[in-house]
Amino acid sequence: GAAANTAGTLLRGGRPFRRAGGALHQHLGVSAFSEYTVAAAESLVPVDPALPMDRAALFGCALLTGVGAVVNTARAQPGTAAVVFGLGGVGLAAVMGARAAGCHPVVAVDPVAGKHAIARAAGATHTLGGGGTDIVEAVRDLTGGGADVAIEAVGNADVLATAYAATRRGGTTVTVGLPDPRQRLTIPAVSLVAEERTLRGSYLGGAVPRRDIPRYVAMYRAGLLPADLLLGPRLGLDEINEGFDALATAATTRQVVVF
């Protein structure tokens, strides 16, 4: 899959899109911003047709990655303290996953104060900003010494270092962000052994899509994942650039393109 994505092909090497002058790359095997597409069967997951398609669309990267980081990668247990850094669609999904897993408290961290209300609706018990507050100490105070599980959903090495520092001895830090490849992470190396801390990466929430998407849809229907909170404006395909502008300014979380 990774090799095909890098080459811009489907899994078996094909490029079904063409124009004068040759074939077009198949972006990540999906190329979703088109009226029609061709996808490998392995890339598709059946969903119950009773689930509205604008809701079904949320169970891709946002919920799959954020919830999966908590339940698949961190394997959070009921009663454990969790902190989530970054409250975009993936971070908010991680907050939902922490609540569904029975974590308490659930601390949500983002410098954009406008995201705090939706984080609380998603399941956060506390929200913190970046306005001069010592985030690590604040998390330690709220969790009685540090979080058992920290999720970094920003894609920034400095934020990842902060998330790592905010965990207690024996804590687990999971990163789902994709920082610039030039960024480097600096942490106290001795803490991995002396404090038995764990640092893990989570690609798409460690998901097995055909297992996890139906499971998360069931959790949504049971009221455990308030996915509707992620649903922002509906866009037409001709509004796609405006949609990206809205994401860049943190004006919304997830938008749905309606054909």
Side-chain angles (χ1 to χ4, degrees):
N5 287 343
T6 301
T9 70
L10 294 179
L11 292 177
R12 292 164 185 81
R15 289 187 179 89
F17 289 112
R18 304 188 69 82
R19 66 178 176 187
L24 297 173
H25 292 318
Q26 182 91 354
H27 180 64
L28 297 180
V30 179
S31 292
F33 297 149
S34 58
E35 292 181 275
Y36 299 95
T37 193
V38 177
E42 294 90 340
S43 299
L44 305 177
V45 177
V47 295
D48 187 337
L51 182 69
M53 290 305 293
D54 58 354
R55 269 61 171 184
L58 300 172
F59 288 86
C61 176
L63 286 164
L64 201 63
T65 303
V67 177
V70 176
V71 301
N72 291 334
T73 308
R75 299 186 182 277
Q77 300 297 311
T80 56
V83 58
V84 177
F85 286 81
L87 297 176
V90 173
L92 288 169
V95 170
M96 296 178 194
R99 185 182 73 166
C103 296
H104 188 85
V106 178
V107 183
V109 182
D110 197 292
V112 180
K115 295 183 177 182
H116 292 182
I118 190 173
R120 286 184 176 271
T125 58
H126 305 81
T127 54
L128 299 171
T133 304
D134 188 326
I135 294 298
V136 172
E137 288 304 317
V139 172
R140 288 175 177 168
D141 288 344
L142 292 171
T143 58
D148 298 292
V149 172
I151 308 294
E152 185 273 325
V154 178
N156 180 282
D158 292 336
V159 176
L160 178 55
T162 301
Y164 181 85
T167 59
R168 67 176 76 243
R169 288 174 177 265
T172 296
T173 304
V174 175
T175 176
V176 297
L178 291 170
D180 187 302
R182 294 169 294 183
Q183 293 189 21
R184 293 293 181 267
L185 175 66
T186 301
I187 59 173
V190 69
S191 64
L192 291 167
V193 174
E195 299 178 5
E196 290 195 348
R197 297 186 190 224
T198 300
L199 177 60
R200 297 194 63 181
S202 181
Y203 187 70
L204 281 176
V208 179
R210 290 196 178 187
R211 176 197 68 192
D212 291 341
I213 289 178
R215 180 169 60 165
Y216 298 163
V217 169
M219 292 170 69
Y220 162 71
R221 286 177 158 164
L224 297 174
L225 294 177
D228 290 350
L229 293 171
L230 300 179
L231 192 59
R234 278 75 162 176
L235 308 176
L237 186 58
D238 59 346
E239 299 174 290
I240 196 68
N241 288 337
E242 289 87 345
F244 277 111
D245 290 342
L247 287 177
T249 59
T252 187
T253 51
R254 280 293 182 271
Q255 301 161 96
V256 173
V257 181
V258 180
F259 294 94

